[in-house]
Amino acid sequence: MSIRYSQDFKDSLVKLHQEGRSLKSLAEEFGPSKDSIAIWAKQATPIMIKGQSKTLKDVKQLEKRLAILR
């Protein structure tokens, strides 16, 4: 069974990780696996595209919109 976590919950764990908490300590305290938290952190990490900062999540949403428009 897969557990769905709210975006606010994911964002709060990502913020804690960015502030220095280890993936292991977050997984032990809050429940999601280290791998899940690592994926959420990667998705939230900004990347530069043509001088604009975007997250991986933003890029995926833009790709979906583009596919629909095509």
Side-chain angles (χ1 to χ4, degrees):
M1 183 176 93
S2 177
I3 298 173
R4 293 259 178 208
Y5 296 101
S6 73
Q7 191 60 50
D8 286 342
F9 178 75
K10 292 177 186 181
D11 292 344
S12 66
L13 292 187
V14 167
K15 187 173 189 290
L16 289 170
H17 178 61
Q18 290 170 337
E19 291 172 351
R21 290 280 305 270
S22 73
L23 294 174
K24 182 180 179 192
S25 72
L26 292 170
E28 289 172 352
E29 184 174 344
F30 296 101
S33 70
K34 293 187 304 184
D35 290 339
S36 292
I37 301 168
I39 290 168
W40 302 337
K42 183 178 178 182
Q43 290 172 340
T45 301
I47 53 176
M48 293 302 288
I49 300 174
K50 294 186 178 181
Q52 294 184 351
S53 177
K54 300 286 181 194
T55 64
L56 188 58
K57 184 177 176 182
D58 294 335
V59 172
K60 297 230 180 264
Q61 288 174 342
L62 290 170
E63 287 174 343
K64 284 181 186 179
R65 289 182 190 166
L66 183 58
I68 291 169
L69 292 173
R70 287 185 181 158

